[in-house]
Amino acid sequence: RLPGEKRDGRVYDKSGADVTEPYARGAEAALRFAKITGCRYAVLKERSPSCGSGMVYDGSFTGKLVPGDGLTAALLQENGIMVLTADRLSEINPCETEATP
């Protein structure tokens, strides 16, 4: 697939096609899986239109970042799942996680 970036709440690929629907379906699938598995934390790729948390590419495909969250990151956060990037893993408190039998 072509690279995608988020602009005005929608996701567009580099050719200019609106690809929001497949991204939204992916976000819903991730949320369903997270709920089934009891997920409390998600480590996602920074800056992407799906997984970005805090900063995402602005949709111009020039590398410019703007404040915001990707579709999956936003949906998970709205449902109480803490979204982190790999450089923020230290924010997970192991005392809060449940032990796996």
Side-chain angles (χ1 to χ4, degrees), residues 1-5 11-17 19 23 59-62:
R1 70 170 170 78
L2 292 173
E5 292 190 6
V11 179
Y12 298 91
D13 70 18
K14 197 163 185 174
S15 76
V19 293
Y23 277 78
S60 66
F61 295 92
T62 61

Side-chain angles (χ1 to χ4, degrees), residues 5-13 16 20 49 57-61:
E5 292 190 6
K6 190 175 172 193
R7 181 178 71 241
D8 301 323
R10 311 284 303 167
V11 179
Y12 298 91
D13 70 18
T20 305
Y57 291 113
D58 73 346
S60 66
F61 295 92

Side-chain angles (χ1 to χ4, degrees), residues 30 46 67 95:
E46 52 276 318
C95 296

